Amino acid sequence: MSEVIGIAGCGRMGFGLLGNLRKAGFDARGFDIRPIEGVETDVVQFARDLTTVFSVVRDSRETDDLLFDKQALINHAPALKRIVISSTLSPRYVKALRTRVPAHIALIDAAMSGAQIKANAGTLTFMTGGPAIEIMPMLQAMGDTIHDVGAFGAGMTAKVLNNLLAASHTAMTRLVLDWADAEGMNEGRLLALIATASGQNWLASGFDDIEFARDGYATDNSIGILAKDVAAALDIAPDDGIDLPVAVRNAILALEPRAKP
């Protein structure tokens, strides 16, 4: 049987993944609970002949719904050979999936970084754990940098630690820009300086391209997802190492929208 690939969760990231798989010639289909053109809303139809599924849903609750509960994908996909977790979730939760998923289904975590702009362009960075060699051509269709970091769960650990740094960059870059406003400094000139100086970071360097750079916190936007990702990192934090990450998360939760100059 030829490979039939599914993208479950065709939102900001998943829809771009689906498009790039199709562009590369893969037999790929999408699933979402919301009506989206070209995407299946019936899980039974989505699961038909499915061999590989990438889960790109929002959080662990939606992952449970997809795999075991409301959609119960595993029950409807007899040909399923592997599940790839690409949502950013707690590494503890991800590792525990091995005891819940039938043994004949391989589990791979392929966490991704780059936001919607890179998902659409097919230039994401993937951090993988488990037998990722099985899906390497698929990953190469969706990304241009792939880090194999170890056993199942290691990719998610790397991702939440990376996103903890991204959250700190987001919080501090926005704070710096607010302070610059108060001093009457031009935003564009400051960002150009930061891009070539010691304060350089991903958010500041891509501020005009990253879709959530000016957003305030909301539960249903990318800033809200970033706050969720910090919580996922905190799930593996040492008992004596949480003060600074908690402060970062609180700063993210307090972000207000930033107007364009």
Side-chain angles (χ1 to χ4, degrees):
M1 179 186 294
S2 61
E3 286 284 354
V4 179
I5 306 164
I7 300 292
C10 289
R12 294 180 181 90
M13 303 294 286
F15 197 76
L17 302 186
L18 178 62
N20 282 304
L21 284 172
R22 288 172 170 170
K23 190 184 302 181
F26 287 100
D27 183 356
R29 62 182 66 151
F31 170 80
D32 204 283
I33 60 174
R34 303 162 301 169
I36 300 171
E37 185 176 357
V39 171
E40 186 61 66
T41 56
D42 182 336
V43 71
V44 175
Q45 291 299 316
F46 173 70
R48 179 176 46 84
D49 300 328
L50 196 65
T51 57
T52 298
V53 63
F54 284 78
S55 176
V56 200
V57 298
R58 180 182 176 92
D59 52 28
S60 57
R61 179 185 61 78
E62 290 190 6
T63 304
D64 278 351
D65 283 346
L66 172 69
L67 298 179
F68 311 111
D69 299 331
K70 290 182 180 179
Q71 290 85 48
L73 175 69
I74 291 174
N75 296 340
H76 301 297
L80 191 62
K81 296 191 292 187
R82 62 186 68 86
I83 296 170
V84 185
I85 303 297
S86 290
S87 310
T88 302
L89 307 172
S90 160
R92 294 183 189 274
Y93 169 86
V94 169
K95 292 176 184 178
L97 287 174
R98 184 65 282 176
T99 64
R100 305 172 66 193
V101 171
H104 71 276
I105 300 175
L107 281 172
I108 303 165
D109 51 323
M112 51 193 176
S113 180
Q116 184 176 357
I117 184 173
K118 290 198 170 187
N120 291 340
T123 57
L124 289 166
T125 294
F126 285 97
M127 293 141 273
T128 66
I133 191 67
E134 299 179 10
I135 60 167
M136 197 57 63
M138 305 171 202
L139 296 179
Q140 290 168 341
M142 301 180 289
D144 61 5
T145 305
I146 301 164
H147 296 277
D148 183 0
V149 293
F152 179 63
M156 199 60 61
T157 299
K159 174 61 191 296
V160 300
L161 295 177
N162 176 79
N163 273 26
L164 181 55
L165 279 177
S168 69
H169 296 160
T170 299
M172 286 305 299
T173 298
R174 291 286 295 272
L175 176 67
V176 163
L177 292 177
D178 288 346
W179 285 16
D181 289 346
E183 291 297 314
M185 188 171 188
N186 178 272
E187 175 190 284
R189 292 181 180 180
L190 179 58
L191 287 171
L193 164 66
I194 291 170
T196 60
S198 57
Q200 190 279 330
N201 67 78
W202 173 76
L203 186 85
S205 295
F207 204 78
D208 290 328
D209 298 318
I210 297 167
E211 73 277 3
F212 64 83
R214 296 181 183 277
D215 287 352
Y217 170 78
T219 56
D220 61 349
N221 69 4
S222 294
I223 296 294
I225 291 172
L226 193 59
K228 169 193 70 74
D229 294 352
V230 175
L234 286 167
D235 198 39
I236 59 168
D239 291 340
D240 59 351
I242 66 170
D243 289 352
L244 184 55
V246 167
V248 168
R249 184 168 185 267
N250 289 340
I252 293 294
L253 293 172
L255 282 178
E256 298 288 341
R258 178 177 177 82
K260 290 186 177 182

